[in-house]
């Protein structure tokens, strides 16, 4: 009989990822029981939460059982309740170490050790007694933390298209709709807000807090600012900071160019905060979201000590309603690079248009563009950094020639040996001239390369064709709106939600703003010493380098950080993969999933015979 031959676990500050592999088919296998073991013994071993029942069972109240009742029918799993509670919005403090025991299970019969029932039955239908089909394998221990060799990194829990959110809001006596969610995430003391933002709020504000506690100073460059708590933070610390504040794009249904930031901008200025306007009213945007910490109250280049960057806008949706990341790099060299860029932005004067609706205004100057063409080399911990800033092209509008910063990223992707993982919002139409097309090119050149990623906007999906109302046929008039691109070891999905009842799954909300996935991440070979993490504000397409104020950090050789980012990518990818497949099948009048796990072993037989579990094999075997 087949057996588990390897099992590994990986983690960031929010989620653990567990992968295992088997040597051959395990007859009668109905899945795997996964037990979390906290190393210090502060909690008893616990089966991981599962919600999806066997046929003839139902879970109408969406109450979790565990993998000893409804086992995992995959070769990898995400521990989503590592910090987040199963049935409420509470969170466990970070800093603990865990390992996992993975064991195959089947229907119980004489000769098998029974799988223990660890909690009261809370579902409809007869129980399916299970027994263990073999020995378990324990993973390596992993510590749940946000510090990775000089870098502190955190990730939001901002996936709204989950069943828990509907139940959490309705349990508070409120209707479940986008307006209620939008209001909830803007409330400072909302437990739903705290749950969704995770540790990211603390990371993005940490340098302001450091300046307050240690008599320092902070310089910020922000694209969007309207979260009440963050605006209050700036007001309360106005003597410790200086801000370059840009404006977001034109409203979709109006002429306002500063609707997002107008109120915050006005309040900050009225109360004496040092605000420098950087206003565009064309297709260029001041897209940065970074802060530089100086350890003296009068900032100088020599006193720059740390920088916070990432994809998180200073808005309620940025903190809570999207997937995002934020990181602090404690490094004099990197902080000075960002401090110099801040000064260049300040010197690159763009006259505020009057009125703001006057179109075509705001092109960054030649001096800024020329200076941005030289990257900053730095170290953080033992890792090498290459920092890029935008715009870094002579041309002021997008061309077909790869800009310098993305050329550096593309070269690293071409050199990938084992795997590329990515998350993208909207870098370009149909993924052209972006990290999406570069990932596809790398997978095409090396068919053994594992590539997996998630995209927020359908227009960025490979194969997207815009609808043409003047087309001669219906297909042309409808266009092509792909949910998934899945071939060989290339797996790309777009964010989607459940739009109608599927078993016990109820209708979800995908987003309350413009994005569901807002990260801009590339992770290359995270299990190798030569690993790479690419992150920052940069949208990862040509336009960002040609037209936007952006920052991009390439971090090489920090394996714990690369694995933490890979876990985040896989968390987002796996969540949306199921929903994208379901949406695709529904669109094609098919039914892929009826809301139940399988009652026989064909799910595993398919994986073993087709050897289709490439993500599991990579993390289970390459990490051993």
């Amino acid at each position: 009989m087949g057996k588990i031959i390897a099992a590994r676990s990986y983690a960031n500050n929010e989620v653990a990822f567990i992968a295992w592999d088997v040597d051959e088919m395990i007859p009668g296998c109905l899945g795997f029981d996964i037990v979390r073991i906290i190393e210090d013994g502060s909690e008893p071993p616990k089966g991981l939460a599962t919600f999806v029942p066997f046929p003839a069972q139902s879970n109408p109240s969406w109450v979790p059982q565990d993998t000893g009742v409804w086992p995992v029918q995959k070769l990898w799993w995400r521990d989503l309740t590592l910090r987040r509670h199963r049935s409420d919005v509470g969170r466990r403090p970070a800093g603990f170490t865990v390992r996992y025991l993975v064991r195959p299970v089947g229907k119980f019969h004489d000769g098998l050790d029974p799988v223990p029932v660890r909690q009261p039955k809370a579902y409809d239908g007869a129980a399916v007694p299970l027994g263990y089909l073999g020995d378990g394998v324990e993973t390596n221990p992993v510590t749940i933390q946000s510090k990775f060799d000089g870098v502190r990194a955190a990730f939001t829990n901002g996936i709204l298209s989950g069943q828990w959110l509907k139940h959490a809001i309705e349990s508070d006596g409120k209707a479940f709709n986008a307006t209620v969610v939008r209001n909830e995430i803007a409330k400072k003391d909302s437990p739903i807000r705290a749950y969704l933002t995770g540790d990211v709020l603390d990371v993005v504000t940490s340098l302001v807090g450091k300046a307050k506690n240690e008599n320092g100073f902070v310089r910020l460059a922000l694209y969007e600012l309207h979260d009440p708590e963050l605006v209050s933070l700036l007001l309360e610390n106005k003597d410790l900071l200086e801000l370059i504040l840009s404006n977001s794009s034109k409203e979709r249904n109006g002429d306002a160019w500063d609707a997002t930031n107008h109120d915050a901008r006005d309040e900050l200025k009225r109360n004496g905060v040092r605000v420098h306007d950087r206003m565009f009213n064309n297709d260029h945007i001041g897209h940065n979201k970074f802060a530089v910490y100086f350890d003296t109250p009068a900032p100088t280049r020599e006193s720059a000590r740390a920088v916070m960057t990432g994809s998180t806008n200073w808005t309620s949706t940025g903190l809570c309603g999207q997937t995002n990341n934020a990181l602090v790099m404690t490094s004099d060299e990197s902080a000075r690079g960002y401090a110099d860029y801040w000064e260049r932005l300040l010197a690159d004067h763009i006259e505020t248009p009057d009125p703001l609706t006057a179109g075509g205004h705001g092109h960054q100057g030649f001096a800024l563009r020329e200076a941005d063409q030289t990257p900053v080399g730095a170290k953080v911990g033992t890792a090498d950094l290459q920092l890029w800033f935008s715009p870094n092209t002579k041309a002021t509008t997008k061309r077909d020639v790869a800009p310098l910063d993305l050329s550096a990223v593309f070269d690293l992707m071409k050199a990938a040996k084992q795997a590329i993982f990515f998350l993208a919002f909207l870098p370009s139409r149909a993924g052209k001239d972006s990290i999406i097309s570069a990932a596809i090119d790398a997978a095409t050149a090396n068919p053994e390369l594992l590539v997996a990623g998630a995209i927020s906007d359908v227009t960025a999906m490979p194969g997207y064709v815009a609808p043409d109302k003047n087309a001669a046929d219906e297909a042309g008039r409808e266009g092509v709106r792909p949910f998934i691109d899945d071939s060989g070891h290339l797996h790309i999905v777009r964010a989607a939600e459940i739009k109608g009842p599927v078993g016990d799954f109820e209708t979800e909300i995908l987003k309350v703003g413009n994005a569901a996935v807002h990260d801009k991440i590339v992770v290359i070979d995270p299990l190798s010493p030569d690993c790479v993490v690419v992150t920052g504000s940069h949208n990862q397409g040509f336009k960002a380098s040609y037209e936007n104020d952006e920052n991009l950090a390439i971090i090489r050789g920090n394996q714990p950080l690369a694995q933490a980012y890979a876990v985040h990518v896989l968390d987002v990818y796996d969540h949306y993969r199921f929903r994208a497949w379901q949406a695709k099948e529904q669109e094609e009048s098919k039914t892929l999933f009826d809301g139940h796990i399988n009652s026989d072993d064909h799910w595993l037989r398919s994986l073993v015979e087709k050897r289709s579990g490439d993500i599991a094999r990579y993390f289970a075997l390459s990490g051993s």
Side-chain angles (χ1 to χ4, degrees):
M1 177 182 282
K3 62 182 181 298
I4 301 172
I5 55 174
R8 298 284 297 177
S9 55
Y10 308 84
N12 54 34
N13 69 302
E14 285 291 339
V15 174
F17 175 83
I18 309 105
W20 59 96
D21 199 14
V22 298
D23 57 355
E24 60 182 3
M25 181 61 193
I26 304 174
C29 183
L30 294 183
F32 295 87
D33 180 31
I34 309 173
V35 175
R36 179 201 304 137
I37 303 166
I38 296 182
E39 292 281 84
D40 64 7
S42 58
E43 296 182 21
K46 181 178 292 186
L48 298 191
T50 51
F51 292 82
V52 182
F54 284 108
Q57 298 174 340
S58 63
N59 185 17
S61 300
W62 206 249
V63 176
Q65 295 296 294
D66 66 31
T67 53
V69 177
W70 298 325
V72 171
Q73 294 184 342
K74 298 175 65 169
L75 295 177
W76 54 284
W77 197 244
R78 299 171 292 146
D79 185 357
L80 299 180
T81 60
L82 188 61
R83 295 192 64 191
R84 293 170 269 178
H85 291 180
R86 294 184 178 193
S87 302
D88 57 46
V89 291
R91 297 179 74 238
R92 180 184 286 110
F96 58 96
T97 299
V98 300
R99 53 193 164 88
Y100 296 88
L101 175 64
V102 185
R103 295 186 73 179
V105 301
K107 290 182 180 179
F108 177 77
H109 58 76
D110 289 344
L112 297 183
D113 292 332
V115 178
V117 177
R118 307 181 183 103
Q119 63 190 99
K121 181 175 178 289
Y123 55 91
D124 297 337
V128 177
L130 300 175
Y132 289 116
L133 298 178
D135 294 332
V137 174
E138 284 192 2
T139 71
N140 54 295
V142 288
T143 300
I144 313 312
Q145 61 180 342
S146 59
K147 294 181 180 179
F148 309 97
D149 191 20
V151 180
R152 183 185 178 198
F155 309 91
T156 67
N157 298 317
I159 295 174
L160 301 182
S161 59
Q163 296 293 296
W164 75 271
L165 183 61
K166 174 181 172 65
H167 291 277
I169 287 179
E170 289 180 343
S171 68
D172 198 29
K174 298 170 183 169
F176 180 63
N177 56 55
T179 299
V180 171
V181 173
R182 194 177 292 111
N183 292 338
E184 197 70 26
I185 64 177
K187 291 162 50 179
K188 179 179 179 180
D189 297 325
S190 167
I192 288 176
R193 171 185 169 89
Y195 187 96
L196 288 168
T197 190
D199 295 330
V200 165
L201 177 62
D202 185 52
V203 172
V204 298
T205 61
S206 61
L207 296 187
V208 176
K210 188 175 179 66
K212 179 179 180 179
N213 295 330
E214 301 181 13
N215 195 31
F217 197 84
V218 175
R219 281 178 166 163
L220 306 99
L222 301 178
Y223 173 50
E224 291 187 332
L225 171 66
H226 69 66
D227 180 73
E229 184 175 357
L230 292 177
V231 173
S232 294
L233 176 78
L234 299 181
L235 290 169
E236 292 163 4
N237 296 278
K238 64 181 181 180
D239 296 331
L240 309 176
L241 57 89
E242 191 171 9
L243 167 64
I244 294 175
L245 183 58
S246 190
N247 61 310
S248 55
S249 300
K250 183 178 179 180
E251 285 185 317
R252 292 185 177 183
N253 299 310
D255 292 328
W257 282 91
D258 195 30
T260 300
N261 296 344
H262 177 272
D263 292 348
R265 188 189 309 275
D266 183 64
E267 185 176 9
L268 294 174
K269 287 183 175 181
R270 193 170 62 247
N271 286 278
V273 180
R274 283 169 281 188
V275 177
H276 306 282
D277 293 334
R278 188 163 174 81
M279 310 288 278
F280 299 87
N281 63 358
N282 52 21
D283 287 335
H284 298 211
I285 55 175
H287 197 234
N288 287 299
K289 28 269 197 174
F290 72 83
V292 184
Y293 170 74
F294 303 84
D295 66 1
T296 56
T300 65
R301 185 177 190 276
E302 289 69 29
S303 66
R305 296 288 178 260
V307 61
M308 183 281 300
T309 185
S311 63
T312 308
N313 283 314
W314 285 43
T315 64
S316 303
T317 50
L319 291 171
C320 307
Q322 304 164 341
T323 71
N324 272 312
N325 69 97
L327 66 158
V328 172
M329 297 181 287
T330 302
S331 155
D332 291 0
E333 296 168 305
S334 60
R336 288 170 185 170
Y338 275 83
D340 291 344
Y341 177 52
W342 192 95
E343 294 278 10
R344 294 199 298 272
L345 291 173
L346 186 65
D348 183 55
H349 179 68
I350 295 176
E351 185 175 350
T352 300
D354 185 16
L356 281 176
T357 53
H361 175 90
H363 291 84
Q364 299 94 332
F366 176 76
L368 174 68
R369 291 174 173 275
E370 184 176 47
D372 287 350
Q373 290 174 14
T374 302
V376 174
K379 297 280 286 190
V380 59
T382 58
D384 293 319
L385 294 180
Q386 189 177 62
L387 307 176
W388 286 94
F389 304 100
S390 304
N392 51 47
T393 61
K394 293 181 179 179
T396 60
T397 56
K398 186 175 80 70
R399 300 290 189 267
D400 291 333
V401 178
L404 295 169
D405 50 1
L406 284 182
S407 291
V409 175
F410 293 170
D411 286 345
L412 291 168
M413 295 174 75
K414 290 176 186 176
K417 299 293 193 298
Q418 297 175 314
I420 297 173
F421 304 98
F422 71 86
L423 296 176
F425 167 40
L426 178 55
S428 64
R429 178 64 64 90
K432 180 184 177 184
D433 296 337
S434 76
I435 59 99
I436 299 171
S437 58
I440 294 171
D441 290 345
T444 302
N446 178 6
E448 296 305 311
L449 185 71
L450 172 62
V451 175
I455 297 170
S456 187
D457 197 289
V458 63
T459 64
M461 280 293 291
Y464 171 79
V465 178
D468 181 0
K469 65 181 181 180
N470 298 316
D473 56 11
E474 184 177 352
R477 290 190 292 273
E478 291 183 355
V480 181
R481 300 171 60 84
F483 283 99
I484 196 158
D485 186 349
D486 201 63
S487 58
H489 298 303
L490 173 69
H491 315 292
I492 300 175
V493 301
R494 72 167 161 106
E497 78 279 31
I498 293 174
K499 294 184 177 180
V502 179
D504 297 316
F505 289 79
E506 300 179 57
T507 300
E508 299 172 338
I509 291 174
L510 178 61
K511 57 186 179 179
V512 294
N514 292 329
V517 179
H518 193 254
D519 291 288
K520 304 94 172 51
I521 295 171
V522 179
V523 184
I524 301 170
D525 293 340
L527 306 186
S528 164
D530 299 322
C531 59
V532 179
V533 174
V534 182
T535 188
S537 73
H538 197 292
N539 264 330
Q540 303 174 330
F542 283 16
K543 180 185 184 301
S545 302
Y546 276 89
E547 300 182 10
N548 298 348
D549 298 344
E550 303 275 12
N551 68 90
L552 182 150
I554 300 173
I555 307 170
R556 304 185 65 173
N558 187 331
Q559 276 186 271
L561 183 72
Q563 291 168 17
Y565 268 82
V567 168
H568 178 61
V569 173
L570 289 165
D571 181 23
V572 177
Y573 165 82
D574 189 43
H575 182 88
Y576 288 122
R577 180 177 175 86
F578 156 65
R579 286 161 173 79
W581 269 109
Q582 186 68 23
K584 173 182 177 293
E585 297 296 291
Q586 287 177 333
E587 189 174 82
E588 297 173 0
S589 299
K590 301 175 183 177
T591 301
L592 177 68
F593 177 66
D594 66 358
H596 297 91
I597 55 176
N598 291 285
S599 58
D600 57 34
D601 63 8
H602 80 269
W603 67 274
L604 180 60
R605 191 172 302 278
S606 176
L607 284 175
V608 170
E609 292 177 354
K610 296 180 180 178
R611 299 299 291 163
S612 57
D614 48 5
I615 291 176
R617 285 197 303 278
Y618 171 66
F619 282 97
L621 301 179
S622 300
S624 298

